[in-house]
Amino acid sequence: MATDRAFLKRLENPVVGIHDQYLALKKYCPGKVEILDNDKTVQWEGTLQPTPVSREYQVVIRYTLSHPPVCVVKSPDLTALAEGEKIPHIYQNQTGIRGTHLCLFLPVIKQKNKVSEWQPTMFLADTILPWASMWLLYFEFWLASGKWDGGGVEHDENDGSER
């Protein structure tokens, strides 16, 4: 009997379940962590401050099984801070969470055969939270200089609308 390569790959890198995501966030990320939607969603809400001299940002990260995680900055209002400039690397916010929906990683882009940089085998505490903090640091640099140094792939605000 031949063993399916995809099956072996899943054994090597198992999907991190909602309860394990919850435990890692609770242990390593100060803030409020809860499980929602009949154990299908984990949500973290807390404060990120990229550097000791940075402002504090109220952030929500929500992850539902079979969907990429979303990260929304609730406050301060990033659009107001940008003073009319178009903020790079954000999505049109269709998350149901008030604030600015950040683009932290390359999503699946079916038309271009691009695979997501974030995978369900990864912990949010090791990826999305630090990525959000880095995004906010680059945002602060962008506010000061007008130049986005955070890298990334240019995209339309609607590219992440399926998230």
Side-chain angles (χ1 to χ4, degrees), residues 52-125:
V53 296
S54 296
R55 64 178 47 91
E56 292 184 346
Y57 298 89
Q58 291 302 314
V59 177
V60 174
I61 294 172
R62 182 184 294 158
Y63 171 57
T64 301
L65 290 175
S66 303
H67 299 281
V70 297
C71 178
V72 176
V73 175
K74 291 177 69 174
S75 69
D77 181 344
L78 300 188
T79 305
L81 292 174
E83 298 178 343
E85 293 295 318
K86 184 179 181 285
I87 302 171
H89 298 287
I90 62 170
Y91 291 117
Q92 182 178 347
N93 190 346
Q94 299 177 351
T95 65
I97 305 165
R98 182 187 52 78
T100 303
H101 182 182
L102 307 185
C103 173
L104 301 178
F105 55 90
L106 182 67
V108 173
I109 304 174
K110 292 177 184 157
Q111 308 90 314
K112 297 180 182 177
N113 282 335
K114 297 284 185 187
V115 177
S116 177
E117 291 174 319
W118 188 87
Q119 296 295 319
T121 58
M122 299 174 173
F123 280 94
L124 301 169

Coordinates of all heavy atoms in Angstrom, one line a residue, residues 52-125:
P52 N 9.6 51.1 22.5 CA 9.3 51.9 23.8 C 8.8 53.3 23.5 O 8.1 53.9 24.3 CB 10.6 51.8 24.6 CG 11.3 50.6 24.1 CD 10.9 50.5 22.6
V53 N 9.2 53.9 22.4 CA 8.8 55.3 22.1 C 7.7 55.3 21.1 O 7.2 56.4 20.7 CB 10.0 56.1 21.5 CG1 11.1 56.2 22.6 CG2 10.6 55.5 20.3
S54 N 7.1 54.2 20.7 CA 6.0 54.1 19.8 C 4.7 54.4 20.6 O 4.6 54.2 21.8 CB 5.9 52.8 19.1 OG 7.0 52.5 18.3
R55 N 3.7 54.8 19.8 CA 2.3 54.8 20.5 C 1.8 53.4 20.7 O 2.4 52.5 20.1 CB 1.4 55.7 19.6 CG 1.1 55.1 18.3 CD 0.1 55.8 17.4 NE 0.3 57.3 17.3 CZ 1.0 57.9 16.4 NH1 1.6 57.2 15.5 NH2 1.1 59.2 16.4
E56 N 0.8 53.3 21.5 CA 0.2 52.0 21.7 C -1.0 51.8 20.8 O -1.7 52.8 20.5 CB -0.3 51.9 23.2 CG 0.9 51.8 24.2 CD 0.4 51.6 25.6 OE1 -0.8 51.8 25.9 OE2 1.2 51.3 26.5
Y57 N -1.1 50.6 20.3 CA -2.2 50.3 19.3 C -3.1 49.2 19.9 O -2.6 48.2 20.4 CB -1.6 49.8 18.0 CG -0.7 50.8 17.3 CD1 0.6 50.9 17.6 CD2 -1.3 51.7 16.4 CE1 1.4 51.8 16.9 CE2 -0.5 52.6 15.7 CZ 0.9 52.6 16.0 OH 1.7 53.6 15.3
Q58 N -4.4 49.4 19.9 CA -5.3 48.4 20.3 C -5.6 47.5 19.0 O -6.1 48.0 18.0 CB -6.6 49.0 20.8 CG -6.5 49.7 22.1 CD -5.9 48.8 23.2 OE1 -6.4 47.7 23.4 NE2 -4.9 49.2 23.9
V59 N -5.3 46.2 19.2 CA -5.4 45.3 18.0 C -6.2 44.1 18.3 O -6.2 43.6 19.4 CB -3.9 44.9 17.7 CG1 -3.9 43.9 16.5 CG2 -3.0 46.1 17.3
V60 N -6.9 43.6 17.3 CA -7.7 42.4 17.4 C -7.2 41.4 16.3 O -7.0 41.8 15.1 CB -9.2 42.6 17.2 CG1 -10.0 41.3 17.1 CG2 -9.8 43.5 18.2
I61 N -6.9 40.2 16.7 CA -6.5 39.2 15.8 C -7.5 38.1 15.9 O -7.8 37.6 17.0 CB -5.1 38.6 16.0 CG1 -4.1 39.8 15.7 CG2 -4.8 37.4 15.2 CD1 -2.7 39.5 16.1
R62 N -8.1 37.7 14.8 CA -9.2 36.6 14.8 C -8.8 35.6 13.8 O -8.4 35.9 12.7 CB -10.5 37.2 14.4 CG -11.6 36.2 14.5 CD -13.0 36.7 14.0 NE -13.4 37.7 15.0 CZ -14.3 38.6 14.7 NH1 -14.8 38.7 13.4 NH2 -14.7 39.5 15.6
Y63 N -8.9 34.3 14.2 CA -8.6 33.2 13.4 C -9.7 32.2 13.5 O -10.0 31.7 14.6 CB -7.2 32.6 13.8 CG -6.9 31.3 13.1 CD1 -6.9 31.2 11.7 CD2 -6.7 30.1 13.8 CE1 -6.6 30.0 11.0 CE2 -6.4 28.9 13.1 CZ -6.4 28.9 11.7 OH -6.1 27.7 11.1
T64 N -10.2 31.8 12.3 CA -11.3 30.8 12.2 C -10.7 29.7 11.4 O -10.1 29.9 10.3 CB -12.6 31.4 11.6 OG1 -13.0 32.5 12.4 CG2 -13.6 30.3 11.5
L65 N -10.9 28.5 11.8 CA -10.4 27.3 11.0 C -10.9 27.4 9.6 O -12.0 27.9 9.3 CB -11.0 26.0 11.6 CG -10.4 25.6 13.0 CD1 -11.1 24.4 13.5 CD2 -8.9 25.4 12.9
S66 N -10.0 27.0 8.7 CA -10.2 27.0 7.2 C -10.2 28.4 6.6 O -10.6 28.6 5.5 CB -11.5 26.3 6.9 OG -11.5 25.0 7.3
H67 N -9.8 29.4 7.4 CA -9.8 30.8 6.9 C -8.4 31.4 7.4 O -7.9 31.1 8.4 CB -10.9 31.7 7.4 CG -12.3 31.2 7.0 ND1 -12.8 31.4 5.8 CD2 -13.2 30.5 7.7 CE1 -14.0 30.9 5.7 NE2 -14.2 30.3 6.8
P68 N -7.9 32.3 6.6 CA -6.7 33.0 7.1 C -7.0 33.9 8.2 O -8.1 34.4 8.3 CB -6.2 33.8 5.8 CG -7.3 33.8 4.9 CD -8.3 32.8 5.2
P69 N -6.0 34.1 9.1 CA -6.3 35.0 10.2 C -6.4 36.5 9.8 O -5.9 36.8 8.7 CB -5.0 34.9 11.1 CG -4.0 34.2 10.3 CD -4.7 33.5 9.2
V70 N -7.1 37.3 10.5 CA -7.3 38.7 10.2 C -6.7 39.5 11.4 O -6.8 39.1 12.5 CB -8.7 39.1 9.9 CG1 -9.2 38.4 8.7 CG2 -9.6 38.9 11.1
C71 N -6.2 40.7 11.1 CA -5.6 41.6 12.1 C -6.2 43.0 11.8 O -6.1 43.5 10.7 CB -4.1 41.6 12.0 SG -3.4 42.7 13.2
V72 N -6.8 43.5 12.9 CA -7.5 44.8 12.7 C -6.9 45.7 13.9 O -7.0 45.3 15.0 CB -9.0 44.7 12.8 CG1 -9.7 46.1 12.8 CG2 -9.6 43.9 11.7
V73 N -6.5 46.9 13.5 CA -6.1 47.9 14.5 C -7.4 48.7 14.8 O -7.9 49.4 13.9 CB -5.0 48.8 13.9 CG1 -4.7 49.9 14.9 CG2 -3.7 48.0 13.7
K74 N -7.8 48.7 16.0 CA -9.0 49.4 16.5 C -8.7 50.8 16.8 O -9.5 51.7 16.5 CB -9.6 48.7 17.7 CG -10.2 47.3 17.3 CD -10.8 46.6 18.6 CE -12.0 47.3 19.1 NZ -12.6 46.6 20.2
S75 N -7.6 51.1 17.5 CA -7.2 52.4 17.8 C -5.7 52.5 18.0 O -5.1 51.5 18.3 CB -8.0 52.9 19.0 OG -7.5 52.2 20.2
P76 N -5.2 53.7 17.7 CA -5.8 54.9 17.2 C -6.3 54.7 15.8 O -5.9 53.6 15.1 CB -4.7 55.9 17.3 CG -3.4 55.2 17.2 CD -3.7 53.8 17.9
D77 N -7.0 55.6 15.3 CA -7.5 55.5 13.9 C -6.4 55.8 12.9 O -5.8 56.9 12.8 CB -8.6 56.6 13.7 CG -9.2 56.6 12.3 OD1 -8.7 56.0 11.4 OD2 -10.3 57.2 12.2
L78 N -5.9 54.7 12.2 CA -4.8 54.8 11.3 C -5.1 55.8 10.2 O -4.2 56.5 9.7 CB -4.4 53.5 10.8 CG -4.0 52.4 11.8 CD1 -3.4 51.2 11.1 CD2 -3.0 53.0 12.8
T79 N -6.3 55.8 9.7 CA -6.7 56.7 8.6 C -6.5 58.2 9.0 O -6.0 59.0 8.3 CB -8.1 56.5 8.2 OG1 -8.2 55.1 7.8 CG2 -8.5 57.3 7.0
A80 N -6.9 58.5 10.3 CA -6.7 59.9 10.8 C -5.2 60.2 10.9 O -4.8 61.3 10.6 CB -7.4 60.0 12.1
L81 N -4.4 59.2 11.4 CA -3.0 59.5 11.5 C -2.4 59.7 10.2 O -1.4 60.5 10.1 CB -2.3 58.3 12.2 CG -2.7 58.0 13.7 CD1 -2.0 56.7 14.2 CD2 -2.2 59.2 14.5
A82 N -2.9 59.0 9.1 CA -2.3 59.2 7.8 C -2.7 60.5 7.1 O -2.1 60.8 6.1 CB -2.8 58.0 6.9
E83 N -3.6 61.3 7.7 CA -4.0 62.6 7.2 C -4.3 62.6 5.7 O -3.8 63.4 5.0 CB -2.9 63.6 7.6 CG -2.7 63.8 9.1 CD -1.6 64.8 9.4 OE1 -0.8 65.1 8.5 OE2 -1.6 65.2 10.6
G84 N -5.1 61.7 5.3 CA -5.6 61.7 3.9 C -4.7 60.9 2.9 O -5.1 60.7 1.8
E85 N -3.5 60.5 3.3 CA -2.6 59.7 2.5 C -3.2 58.2 2.5 O -3.7 57.7 3.4 CB -1.2 59.7 3.0 CG -0.5 61.0 2.9 CD -0.3 61.5 1.5 OE1 0.1 60.7 0.6 OE2 -0.5 62.7 1.2
K86 N -3.0 57.6 1.3 CA -3.5 56.2 1.2 C -2.5 55.3 1.9 O -1.3 55.3 1.6 CB -3.5 55.8 -0.3 CG -4.1 54.4 -0.6 CD -4.1 54.1 -2.1 CE -4.7 52.8 -2.4 NZ -3.7 51.7 -2.1
I87 N -3.0 54.6 2.9 CA -2.1 53.7 3.7 C -1.7 52.5 2.9 O -2.6 51.8 2.3 CB -2.8 53.3 5.0 CG1 -3.2 54.5 5.8 CG2 -1.9 52.3 5.8 CD1 -4.1 54.2 7.0
P88 N -0.5 52.1 2.8 CA -0.1 50.9 2.0 C -0.4 49.7 2.8 O -0.4 49.7 4.1 CB 1.4 51.1 1.9 CG 1.9 52.2 2.7 CD 0.7 52.9 3.2
H89 N -0.6 48.6 2.1 CA -0.7 47.3 2.7 C -1.8 47.1 3.7 O -1.6 46.7 4.9 CB 0.6 46.7 3.2 CG 1.6 46.6 2.1 ND1 1.5 45.6 1.1 CD2 2.6 47.4 1.8 CE1 2.5 45.8 0.3 NE2 3.2 46.9 0.6
I90 N -3.0 47.6 3.3 CA -4.2 47.3 4.1 C -5.3 46.8 3.2 O -5.2 46.8 2.0 CB -4.8 48.6 4.8 CG1 -5.2 49.7 3.8 CG2 -3.8 49.1 5.8 CD1 -6.0 50.8 4.4
Y91 N -6.3 46.2 3.8 CA -7.5 45.7 3.1 C -8.7 46.5 3.4 O -8.8 47.1 4.5 CB -7.7 44.2 3.4 CG -6.7 43.2 3.0 CD1 -6.0 42.5 3.9 CD2 -6.4 43.0 1.6 CE1 -5.0 41.6 3.5 CE2 -5.5 42.1 1.2 CZ -4.8 41.4 2.1 OH -3.8 40.5 1.7
Q92 N -9.7 46.5 2.5 CA -11.0 47.0 2.8 C -11.5 46.2 4.0 O -11.5 44.9 3.9 CB -11.9 46.9 1.6 CG -13.2 47.4 1.8 CD -14.1 47.4 0.5 OE1 -13.6 47.1 -0.6 NE2 -15.4 47.6 0.7
N93 N -11.9 46.8 5.0 CA -12.3 46.0 6.2 C -13.7 45.5 6.1 O -14.7 46.2 6.1 CB -12.2 46.9 7.4 CG -12.4 46.1 8.7 OD1 -12.8 45.0 8.7 ND2 -12.0 46.7 9.8
Q94 N -13.8 44.2 5.9 CA -15.1 43.4 5.9 C -15.1 42.4 7.0 O -15.7 41.4 6.9 CB -15.3 42.8 4.5 CG -15.3 43.8 3.4 CD -15.5 43.2 2.0 OE1 -15.3 42.0 1.8 NE2 -15.7 44.1 1.1
T95 N -14.3 42.6 8.1 CA -14.2 41.7 9.1 C -15.3 41.7 10.2 O -15.5 40.8 11.0 CB -12.8 41.9 9.9 OG1 -12.9 43.1 10.5 CG2 -11.7 41.8 8.9
G96 N -16.0 42.8 10.2 CA -17.0 43.1 11.3 C -16.4 43.7 12.5 O -17.1 43.9 13.5
I97 N -15.1 43.9 12.5 CA -14.4 44.5 13.6 C -14.0 46.0 13.2 O -13.4 46.1 12.1 CB -13.0 43.8 14.0 CG1 -13.3 42.3 14.2 CG2 -12.3 44.4 15.1 CD1 -12.1 41.4 14.2
R98 N -14.4 46.9 14.0 CA -14.2 48.3 13.6 C -12.7 48.6 13.7 O -12.0 48.3 14.6 CB -14.9 49.3 14.6 CG -14.8 50.7 14.3 CD -15.4 51.6 15.4 NE -14.9 51.3 16.7 CZ -13.7 51.7 17.2 NH1 -12.9 52.4 16.5 NH2 -13.4 51.3 18.5
G99 N -12.2 49.2 12.6 CA -10.8 49.6 12.5 C -10.2 49.4 11.2 O -10.9 49.2 10.2
T100 N -8.8 49.3 11.1 CA -8.1 49.1 9.9 C -7.6 47.7 9.8 O -6.9 47.2 10.6 CB -6.9 50.1 9.8 OG1 -7.4 51.4 9.9 CG2 -6.2 50.0 8.5
H101 N -8.0 47.0 8.7 CA -7.6 45.6 8.4 C -6.2 45.6 7.8 O -6.0 46.0 6.6 CB -8.6 45.0 7.5 CG -8.4 43.5 7.2 ND1 -9.3 42.8 6.4 CD2 -7.5 42.7 7.6 CE1 -8.8 41.6 6.3 NE2 -7.7 41.5 7.0
L102 N -5.2 45.1 8.5 CA -3.8 45.1 8.0 C -3.5 43.9 7.0 O -4.1 42.8 7.2 CB -2.9 45.0 9.1 CG -3.0 46.0 10.3 CD1 -1.8 45.8 11.3 CD2 -3.0 47.4 9.7
C103 N -2.7 44.1 6.1 CA -2.2 43.1 5.2 C -0.8 42.7 5.8 O 0.2 43.4 5.6 CB -2.0 43.6 3.8 SG -1.2 42.4 2.7
L104 N -0.7 41.5 6.4 CA 0.5 41.1 7.1 C 1.3 40.0 6.3 O 2.4 39.8 6.6 CB 0.2 40.5 8.5 CG -0.5 41.5 9.4 CD1 -0.8 40.7 10.7 CD2 0.3 42.7 9.7
F105 N 0.6 39.4 5.4 CA 1.3 38.3 4.6 C 0.6 38.1 3.3 O -0.5 38.6 3.1 CB 1.2 37.0 5.4 CG -0.2 36.6 5.8 CD1 -1.0 35.8 5.0 CD2 -0.8 37.0 7.0 CE1 -2.3 35.4 5.3 CE2 -2.1 36.6 7.3 CZ -2.8 35.8 6.5
L106 N 1.4 37.5 2.4 CA 0.8 37.2 1.0 C -0.3 36.2 1.2 O 0.0 35.1 1.7 CB 1.9 36.7 0.1 CG 1.6 36.4 -1.3 CD1 1.2 37.7 -2.0 CD2 2.7 35.7 -2.0
P107 N -1.5 36.5 0.8 CA -2.6 35.5 0.8 C -2.5 34.6 -0.4 O -1.7 34.8 -1.3 CB -3.8 36.4 0.8 CG -3.4 37.6 -0.1 CD -1.9 37.8 0.3
V108 N -3.4 33.6 -0.4 CA -3.6 32.8 -1.5 C -4.1 33.7 -2.6 O -5.1 34.3 -2.5 CB -4.5 31.6 -1.2 CG1 -4.8 30.8 -2.5 CG2 -4.0 30.7 -0.1
I109 N -3.4 33.7 -3.8 CA -3.9 34.4 -5.0 C -4.1 33.4 -6.1 O -3.1 33.0 -6.7 CB -3.0 35.6 -5.4 CG1 -2.7 36.5 -4.2 CG2 -3.5 36.3 -6.6 CD1 -1.7 37.6 -4.4
K110 N -5.3 32.9 -6.2 CA -5.6 31.8 -7.2 C -5.2 32.2 -8.6 O -4.7 31.4 -9.3 CB -7.1 31.4 -7.1 CG -7.4 30.8 -5.7 CD -8.8 30.4 -5.6 CE -9.1 29.9 -4.2 NZ -10.4 30.0 -3.8
Q111 N -5.5 33.4 -9.0 CA -5.2 33.8 -10.4 C -3.7 33.8 -10.7 O -3.3 33.6 -11.8 CB -5.7 35.2 -10.7 CG -7.1 35.5 -10.4 CD -7.3 36.0 -8.9 OE1 -6.7 35.5 -8.0 NE2 -8.1 37.0 -8.8
K112 N -2.9 33.9 -9.7 CA -1.4 34.0 -9.9 C -0.7 32.8 -9.3 O 0.5 32.7 -9.2 CB -0.9 35.3 -9.2 CG -1.4 36.5 -9.9 CD -0.8 37.8 -9.2 CE -1.4 39.0 -9.8 NZ -0.9 40.2 -9.2
N113 N -1.5 31.7 -8.9 CA -0.9 30.5 -8.3 C 0.0 30.8 -7.1 O 1.1 30.2 -7.0 CB -0.2 29.7 -9.3 CG -1.2 28.9 -10.2 OD1 -2.3 28.6 -9.8 ND2 -0.8 28.5 -11.4
K114 N -0.3 31.8 -6.3 CA 0.5 32.1 -5.1 C -0.1 31.4 -3.9 O -1.3 31.4 -3.7 CB 0.4 33.6 -4.9 CG 1.1 34.5 -6.0 CD 2.6 34.4 -6.0 CE 3.1 35.3 -7.0 NZ 4.5 35.2 -7.2
V115 N 0.8 30.8 -3.1 CA 0.4 30.2 -1.9 C 0.6 31.1 -0.7 O 1.5 31.9 -0.7 CB 1.3 28.9 -1.7 CG1 1.0 28.2 -0.4 CG2 1.1 27.9 -2.9
S116 N -0.3 31.1 0.2 CA -0.2 32.0 1.4 C 1.1 31.8 2.2 O 1.6 30.7 2.3 CB -1.4 31.7 2.3 OG -1.3 32.5 3.5
E117 N 1.6 32.9 2.7 CA 2.8 32.9 3.5 C 2.5 32.4 4.9 O 3.3 31.9 5.6 CB 3.5 34.3 3.6 CG 4.1 34.7 2.3 CD 4.6 36.1 2.4 OE1 3.9 37.0 2.9 OE2 5.7 36.4 1.8
W118 N 1.2 32.5 5.3 CA 0.8 32.0 6.6 C 0.1 30.7 6.3 O -0.7 30.5 5.4 CB -0.2 33.0 7.3 CG -0.5 32.5 8.7 CD1 0.3 32.8 9.8 CD2 -1.5 31.6 9.1 NE1 -0.3 32.2 10.9 CE2 -1.4 31.5 10.5 CE3 -2.6 31.0 8.5 CZ2 -2.2 30.7 11.3 CZ3 -3.4 30.2 9.2 CH2 -3.2 30.1 10.6
Q119 N 0.4 29.7 7.2 CA -0.2 28.4 7.0 C -0.9 28.0 8.4 O -0.4 28.4 9.4 CB 0.9 27.3 6.7 CG 1.5 27.6 5.3 CD 0.6 27.4 4.2 OE1 -0.3 26.5 4.2 NE2 0.6 28.3 3.2
P120 N -1.9 27.1 8.3 CA -2.5 26.7 9.6 C -1.7 25.8 10.4 O -2.1 25.4 11.5 CB -3.8 26.0 9.1 CG -3.6 25.7 7.7 CD -2.6 26.7 7.1
T121 N -0.5 25.5 10.0 CA 0.5 24.8 10.8 C 1.3 25.7 11.7 O 2.2 25.3 12.5 CB 1.4 24.0 9.9 OG1 2.1 24.9 9.1 CG2 0.7 22.9 9.1
M122 N 1.0 27.0 11.6 CA 1.8 28.0 12.3 C 1.0 28.5 13.5 O -0.2 28.6 13.5 CB 2.1 29.2 11.4 CG 3.0 28.9 10.2 SD 3.1 30.3 9.1 CE 4.3 29.7 8.0
F123 N 1.7 29.0 14.6 CA 1.0 29.6 15.7 C 0.9 31.1 15.5 O 1.8 31.7 15.0 CB 1.9 29.3 17.0 CG 1.7 28.0 17.6 CD1 2.5 27.0 17.3 CD2 0.6 27.8 18.5 CE1 2.4 25.7 17.9 CE2 0.4 26.5 19.1 CZ 1.3 25.5 18.8
L124 N -0.3 31.6 15.8 CA -0.5 33.1 15.7 C 0.5 33.8 16.6 O 1.0 34.9 16.2 CB -1.9 33.4 16.2 CG -3.1 32.7 15.4 CD1 -4.4 32.9 16.1 CD2 -3.2 33.2 14.0
A125 N 0.8 33.3 17.8 CA 1.7 34.0 18.7 C 3.1 34.1 18.1 O 3.8 35.0 18.5 CB 1.7 33.2 20.0

